Amino acid sequence: MEQENVSFSVAKDDFASALAWVARALPTKPTQPILRGVMILADDDGLELSGFDREVSTRVRVNANVDEPGRILVAGKLASDIVGALPGKEITMEYSGSTVLVRSSSSRFELPAMTIEDYPVLPDMPAVTGTIDPNLFTEAISQVAIAAGKDDTLPMLTGIRMEIEGENVVLAATDRFRLAVRSFQWNPASADAKAELLIPARTLADTARTLDHSLNDPIEIAIGSGEDIGADGLLGIVTDARRTTTRLLDADFPKFRPLLPARHNAMASVEIAPLLDAIRRVSLVAERNSQIRMHFEESTLTLSAGGSDVGQAEEVLNCAYHGEPLTIAFNPAYLKDGLSAIHTERVVFGFTQPSRPAILIPAPAELPEAEEDGTFPDPETNFKYLLMPVRLPG
């Protein structure tokens, strides 16, 4: 199909939404200028918009009236900004020669067309491996993505590990200071499906964040192709008219299960909403977000922060606590992230020692009873957030 005399009209809101979704996945500093482009394919079925930076591809279909079919490649973020700002309810786009003409109501823009000859071919979507409820997908990804690293020099920490065994899925992410683990069940295409993947956390989080939950259709997850799941290092996510693929990370994720304690020397149950409010207030005097101290004893939790130079703050909350009195300190931002990822009214903390990581989990109906040795077994839960403490002075 040649890039000649392309012409179509499309509803502004549909086109703006699709264009913004594709453009937001484009790289801000591409290795090649052509990778800034959004490819618009106009055919008898409407429009297909796509973007690809050789790592992540996005593709979406939109209904449109196509007068002359063809392909146009335009600068994605600029086109998205223009279309989003247009006043009318319908947009017409025409290409002939070297210029793309965009019109809506009384507005008229001319954009330079990018040459399509060197634009990379988008990867094919692998075979569907299973499906998952969109609300469950969004919740699970958001819970673990907060713990993923952002340092690209440590690629093994910038991903979310996905383990699939039949209908059971485990997600895990860590940046060395915290670890988030979420387990859930999905609907595998094959009962004996099995895979271990490391998926870029940023791509997975962006995909989950932009899902259209009003559709309520299951999300299709496609991993690899053929019988060897994950063999080609590609993950595909299909939601209604939108398709995303991403190359998997070729790195070894740390062995995380030995980090999760099976027993605790002390446990506390605290209501999350007042705890978050108290952390925000007390951390106002935490120097450069350094630490917030938590002192647990029977029925009370005392939060404190600051020092002689910046002032001090202290707040006391009610809590259910079992164990010897304990003082531990955390980075307040990491602590708030963990509490915000727990979707129950109360959080349970499990402690071994003040110098060892603590675990945060959704509160069960009842705290486990202490056993003969005085320790508490780790409650069964589908989400765990392990948080490294900050060293206390002295």
Side-chain angles (χ1 to χ4, degrees):
M1 199 180 302
E2 297 298 327
Q3 190 182 5
E4 295 181 356
N5 301 324
V6 182
S7 175
F8 59 84
S9 59
V10 59
K12 180 259 177 96
D13 290 345
D14 293 345
F15 190 50
S17 175
L19 191 54
W21 182 73
V22 173
R24 75 191 307 273
L26 297 175
T28 53
K29 297 180 179 179
T31 55
Q32 298 173 281
I34 199 168
L35 300 181
R36 295 184 294 108
V38 168
M39 181 73 76
I40 303 173
L41 168 66
D43 58 22
D44 294 339
D45 297 322
L47 305 179
E48 180 183 87
L49 283 67
S50 59
F52 186 34
D53 65 356
R54 303 190 190 278
E55 296 292 331
V56 177
S57 78
T58 51
R59 197 179 325 203
V60 57
R61 298 280 328 184
V62 179
N63 291 325
N65 296 317
V66 177
D67 297 319
E68 296 183 77
R71 291 185 297 169
I72 307 171
L73 185 66
V74 293
K77 295 188 185 297
L78 175 61
S80 176
D81 289 344
I82 290 172
V83 169
L86 289 174
K89 294 184 178 180
E90 186 175 77
I91 290 171
T92 61
M93 188 172 280
E94 299 173 2
Y95 169 80
S96 59
S98 61
T99 302
V100 178
L101 176 62
V102 184
R103 289 181 295 178
S104 178
S105 186
S106 58
S107 297
R108 182 179 185 275
F109 284 84
E110 289 187 3
L111 300 177
M114 304 171 72
T115 56
I116 65 174
E117 284 75 14
D118 298 327
Y119 194 75
V121 177
L122 270 67
D124 293 329
M125 184 65 62
V128 174
T129 311
T131 62
I132 180 175
D133 176 82
N135 294 305
L136 175 58
F137 178 80
T138 300
E139 180 186 57
I141 297 302
S142 65
Q143 285 179 308
V144 297
I146 55 171
K150 297 177 175 60
D151 184 355
D152 291 332
T153 63
L154 298 170
M156 76 291 291
L157 302 182
T158 63
I160 293 176
R161 178 175 172 84
M162 175 183 279
E163 300 176 352
I164 298 170
E165 190 161 354
E167 64 180 12
N168 298 310
V169 180
V170 176
L171 303 177
T174 182
D175 61 2
R176 295 182 298 174
F177 304 105
R178 61 256 181 90
L179 164 70
V181 182
R182 173 65 199 263
S183 58
F184 59 87
Q185 292 188 323
W186 74 332
N187 302 305
S190 171
D192 59 354
K194 197 167 186 176
E196 295 180 356
L197 319 166
L198 190 57
I199 308 161
R202 188 181 298 117
T203 302
L204 212 49
D206 284 347
T207 302
R209 194 180 300 117
T210 57
L211 286 180
D212 184 354
H213 292 278
S214 65
L215 300 173
N216 289 321
D217 292 327
I219 296 169
E220 294 180 350
I221 305 294
I223 305 167
S225 61
E227 296 180 358
D228 188 5
I229 293 176
D232 64 355
L234 195 71
L235 175 83
I237 302 171
V238 181
T239 62
D240 189 50
R242 295 181 177 183
R243 297 177 173 228
T244 301
T245 68
T246 181
R247 296 194 184 280
L248 301 177
L249 294 170
D250 184 16
D252 293 326
F253 191 77
K255 296 186 184 300
F256 64 92
R257 284 183 173 83
L259 302 174
L260 300 170
R263 313 191 69 75
H264 308 282
N265 293 327
M267 299 196 80
S269 173
V270 189
E271 193 175 350
I272 292 176
L275 177 55
L276 279 169
D277 289 341
I279 291 169
R280 292 188 187 102
R281 287 190 290 270
V282 171
S283 60
L284 291 173
V285 295
E287 297 179 84
R288 291 189 296 277
N289 215 26
S290 57
Q291 64 175 239
I292 187 166
R293 297 178 293 278
M294 306 178 78
H295 178 71
F296 291 89
E297 55 188 345
E298 185 179 357
S299 74
T300 62
L301 162 61
T302 303
L303 301 174
S304 60
S308 57
D309 294 338
V310 294
Q312 300 182 45
E314 183 176 288
E315 191 155 341
V316 180
L317 299 174
N318 293 325
C319 78
Y321 180 71
H322 303 286
E324 294 295 319
L326 175 142
T327 300
I328 193 168
F330 296 113
N331 176 301
Y334 293 167
L335 180 57
K336 287 187 290 185
D337 282 347
L339 292 170
S340 299
I342 293 174
H343 304 146
T344 51
E345 186 176 330
R346 301 180 71 87
V347 59
V348 164
F349 291 86
F351 305 105
T352 52
Q353 300 174 26
S355 60
R356 301 290 298 166
I359 200 162
L360 284 66
I361 61 172
E366 294 181 4
L367 286 178
E369 295 289 335
E371 301 197 348
E372 291 184 3
D373 62 358
T375 64
F376 301 86
D378 190 49
E380 288 291 327
T381 178
N382 63 14
F383 177 66
K384 295 182 179 182
Y385 185 82
L386 191 75
L387 182 57
M388 286 287 294
V390 178
R391 187 183 297 275
L392 286 163

